[in-house]
Amino acid sequence: MTRGRGRRGVLSVDCALGLMIVLQLTFLLLEMARALCVWNMVPEVTRYAARMAAITDFSCAAALQAVRRKAIFHQRDSDAELLLSGGVTQDHVLIDYLWQDSSGALQALGAGALPAGPAQNRANCMANPASSGCIQFVRARICSPVGCEPVPYLPMLPWLPLPAITVPMAATVVRAESLGYRPPTPSSPAAMPCS
């Protein structure tokens, strides 16, 4: 009878210790599933952003901001974050306009080198398709806005023992399409305003 009294509460302590380990492993599993979800969503974000940027007026900042916001699956007019993203926001969606030189290499056009608008780009491309004033491709990337460094992954629960990981740097390149160009019609001979 004295043998049972000395072990009173041992089961409770064992269960508490075991529960801590099981809960930590469960949260770690959930965090890894979330990270895998982000890894699979990032390429889709770049595909959507590149497709939309290929048909959107590159001279309209509001239209490009809407492309970035919609690319991370957000419809509201506010700063948005990709669902379950681990820190990917619309600011991490970078859109570049590219031209192809005579050797076939793709070169990025800087902000100052972009044509004045879609109509000017169309004229440039018709005059000389290999010129640096002709946007031929659009690239969308997920990276930090400054220097295009990898975006750090932010865990849902910061106390989990995770190594410092980053969101993969995805990029998608598509051929430029209309870039927002609308041919003039008799009812609207002037170019459409940026909206």
Side-chain angles (χ1 to χ4, degrees):
M1 209 159 175
T2 59
R3 193 170 150 199
R5 287 187 187 177
R7 297 184 53 103
R8 187 175 289 171
V10 171
L11 182 61
S12 298
V13 171
D14 287 345
C15 285
L17 290 174
L19 186 63
M20 284 188 341
I21 293 170
V22 167
L23 282 177
Q24 190 168 12
L25 288 174
T26 301
F27 287 130
L28 188 62
L29 181 67
L30 289 173
E31 190 65 49
M32 296 316 293
R34 179 175 170 251
L36 187 61
C37 181
V38 170
W39 267 240
N40 288 325
M41 275 196 294
V42 165
E44 184 56 35
V45 167
T46 61
R47 276 193 293 270
Y48 186 83
R51 283 194 317 261
M52 291 303 296
I55 60 170
T56 302
D57 185 354
F58 58 88
S59 62
C60 183
L64 287 178
Q65 192 64 15
V67 166
R68 288 183 186 96
R69 187 179 61 250
K70 289 178 182 175
I72 61 167
F73 311 114
H74 246 270
Q75 301 300 323
R76 291 177 292 191
D77 293 330
S78 64
D79 290 338
E81 187 173 305
L82 184 63
L83 182 66
L84 298 173
S85 71
V88 177
T89 66
Q90 63 191 14
D91 297 330
H92 293 111
V93 179
L94 300 184
I95 298 171
D96 302 316
Y97 295 95
L98 311 170
W99 67 283
Q100 189 171 21
D101 63 16
S102 58
S103 68
L106 296 179
Q107 306 290 330
L109 285 166
L114 289 173
Q120 181 63 46
N121 183 65
R122 188 173 172 93
N124 293 349
C125 290
M126 290 179 124
N128 183 3
S131 76
S132 62
C134 174
I135 299 171
Q136 295 176 330
F137 294 93
V138 178
R139 175 177 60 197
R141 301 181 285 172
I142 296 288
C143 55
S144 66
V146 180
C148 201
E149 297 294 323
V151 179
Y153 178 78
L154 303 175
M156 190 168 38
L157 303 169
W159 49 265
L160 283 175
L162 291 174
I165 54 178
T166 59
V167 175
M169 290 181 55
T172 300
V173 177
V174 297
R175 184 165 276 293
E177 294 180 22
S178 69
L179 293 173
Y181 175 75
R182 294 185 186 132
T185 63
S187 62
S188 63
M192 299 293 286
C194 176
S195 56

